[in-house]
Amino acid sequence: MKQLDYIVVGLGIAGISFCEQLKANNRSFIVFDDASQKSSTVAGGLYNPVVLKRFTAVWKSEAQLDLALPMYANLEEELQVKLDYKIPVYRKFASLEEQNNWFSASDNPSLARFLSPTIVKNSNPYIDAPFGFGEVLHTGRIDVRTMIEAYKLDLRKSGVLVEGSFTYETLQMESDKMQYKGFQASHIVFSEGFGVTKNPYFKDLPLNPAKGELLVIYAPELNMEFVLKAGVFLIPLEDDRYIVGATYEWKELTNTVSDKAKNTLLDKLKKLIDCPFEVVNQLAGVRPTVKDRRPLVGRHDIHKHMYVLNGLGTRGVMIGPYVAKQLYEYIEHSQPLEMDIDIARFKL
């Protein structure tokens, strides 16, 4: 029986963020992952501290970025891959009224760091934006797919990744330990994304999952070097490719792509750009969103060495490191969780 500090189940953004906490604090762990959850690997990966629909600050955005960006920089160095692409986000204005609302928001002290007060004029002949754009500062894109693939490879080399389904009925719980398939650990953390709905210990949490789909297009004439938000996000990749996303579907919760989502995205895209393009890929995944748009973090009511780290929603690359640190400090140092993220908020 191999003795460990932690068992981690799931290796998306949440799982990686928590593993980074464990590595930074010299805790031993094993990860179980079956690659069944696709929300992290199909994520656009944007970190953007502003809710562009309403020109308001994202919850805890400064604190999140202060933790997230150093973590991704550290991962780039450790894994020898490029992950963090610094790129501005432009919000297309639909009217003079939206311009004025932007100016008002940029005067707000909580947003002044992130909103440029200067209107960016449109110089791209293939984009319809007569009222110009507002520029969000301190933004970028994390290549989540590359991060997960490289992280898995690193864990395989270290012998701490077991690939395959986690069978809950095999888990044995003692007063101060967990046993599972030859491993004994002091704590177990479930970071399974939408897969938590099949977890007998946490399946009753109020997850409000939303399927999201995105397209990847090839548009060699567009020459756009910023992220554009206007009904959809248009995110530049390398080699004249762009991500177009994303959709929300609340009923058909599968990882299968659909013509309905494709047509919805294409209709919005064609209203935004006017140049030849080709759809080269379509991806789908189910986001683990929560009804109050806050993560699900905390300890099981009965099993005191069992924890959940889930519900990162659409801003996982920003919030993942923040909540992972909170959970680690809660487990190891009894630091209380913020009530906004503690699963106890649903039992009050």
Side-chain angles (χ1 to χ4, degrees):
M1 187 73 64
K2 186 169 183 179
Q3 304 291 322
L4 297 166
D5 295 317
Y6 285 84
I7 294 171
V8 178
V9 184
L11 198 66
I13 295 169
I16 288 175
S17 298
F18 193 75
C19 288
E20 283 299 285
Q21 286 293 318
L22 298 179
K23 287 164 66 175
N25 290 280
N26 298 311
R27 295 295 189 262
S28 57
F29 63 92
I30 187 81
V31 177
F32 290 86
D33 182 74
D34 64 1
S36 64
Q37 302 309 310
K38 304 296 183 184
S39 63
S40 288
T41 56
V42 303
L46 280 183
Y47 55 91
N48 163 30
V50 179
V51 180
L52 289 176
K53 188 175 183 179
R54 300 186 296 273
F55 304 160
T56 56
V58 169
W59 176 77
K60 302 285 187 180
S61 55
E62 290 201 50
Q64 289 176 24
L65 287 176
D66 287 346
L67 280 174
L69 298 186
M71 188 192 88
Y72 296 123
N74 183 60
L75 284 175
E76 285 184 323
E77 186 174 341
E78 281 187 1
L79 304 175
Q80 292 297 293
V81 290
K82 176 68 173 173
L83 298 177
D84 188 357
Y85 294 83
K86 307 293 186 185
I87 185 169
V89 172
Y90 285 9
R91 165 61 150 82
K92 176 187 168 183
F93 294 131
S95 63
L96 291 174
E97 182 183 6
E98 282 199 341
Q99 286 185 355
N100 291 332
N101 291 341
W102 181 272
F103 286 130
S104 297
S106 67
D107 283 336
N108 185 322
S110 68
L111 289 169
R113 174 186 171 191
F114 299 121
L115 297 184
S116 169
T118 304
I119 300 298
V120 179
K121 292 184 179 180
N122 178 36
S123 60
N124 190 314
Y126 300 112
I127 299 174
D128 179 26
F131 297 100
F133 313 105
E135 180 180 357
V136 187
L137 309 173
H138 307 292
T139 57
R141 176 179 69 87
I142 301 299
D143 187 340
V144 178
R145 179 183 290 270
T146 293
M147 177 177 71
I148 291 174
E149 290 174 355
Y151 207 86
K152 283 186 176 181
L153 179 61
D154 188 62
L155 293 188
R156 283 190 205 110
K157 289 178 180 176
S158 301
V160 295
L161 175 64
V162 179
E163 296 176 88
S165 298
F166 188 90
T167 51
Y168 303 100
E169 59 271 19
T170 306
L171 181 64
Q172 298 177 12
M173 286 162 286
E174 302 172 2
S175 60
D176 61 345
K177 295 284 182 181
M178 301 276 178
Q179 287 190 22
Y180 183 78
K181 293 187 176 180
F183 298 96
Q184 187 176 68
S186 302
H187 310 284
I188 185 167
V189 174
F190 290 103
S191 54
E192 305 156 288
F194 177 54
V196 78
T197 55
K198 298 178 181 178
N199 183 323
Y201 303 106
F202 292 107
K203 64 182 175 61
D204 293 329
L205 288 174
L207 206 65
N208 193 25
K211 178 180 179 178
E213 296 188 54
L214 54 82
L215 304 177
V216 180
I217 65 168
Y218 174 65
E221 296 178 29
L222 186 54
N223 293 322
M224 196 182 80
E225 296 182 346
F226 52 87
V227 174
L228 180 55
K229 175 66 169 84
V232 290
F233 271 109
L234 192 57
I235 306 172
L237 303 174
E238 302 79 20
D239 305 318
D240 297 317
R241 295 175 304 131
Y242 300 83
I243 292 172
V244 184
T247 60
Y248 286 82
E249 166 61 49
W250 306 97
K251 294 180 180 179
E252 197 269 306
L253 300 175
T254 71
N255 293 324
T256 305
V257 299
S258 68
D259 287 337
K260 176 184 175 183
K262 180 179 181 180
N263 292 333
T264 296
L265 291 172
L266 288 177
D267 286 346
K268 292 182 178 180
L269 179 64
K270 288 172 182 176
K271 294 175 183 176
L272 185 58
I273 64 171
D274 182 22
C275 63
F277 66 85
E278 174 189 357
V279 177
V280 296
N281 202 2
Q282 183 175 355
L283 301 166
V286 181
R287 308 178 189 91
T289 57
V290 185
K291 63 182 181 181
D292 64 359
R293 300 188 180 185
R294 297 288 182 266
L296 298 169
V297 185
R299 182 167 59 191
H300 193 274
D301 267 352
I302 299 169
H303 307 297
K304 300 305 181 184
H305 302 281
M306 181 182 288
Y307 303 87
V308 66
L309 182 64
N310 208 312
L312 302 191
T314 59
R315 299 182 185 272
V317 296
M318 280 181 61
I319 201 169
Y322 180 79
V323 293
K325 181 175 175 60
Q326 282 217 28
L327 179 59
Y328 180 82
E329 295 295 334
Y330 173 67
I331 297 170
E332 293 284 344
H333 304 298
S334 301
Q335 293 291 328
L337 294 168
E338 292 181 31
M339 187 51 69
D340 279 349
I341 68 172
D342 193 337
I343 56 175
R345 71 191 186 272
F346 294 111
K347 302 167 190 174
L348 298 176

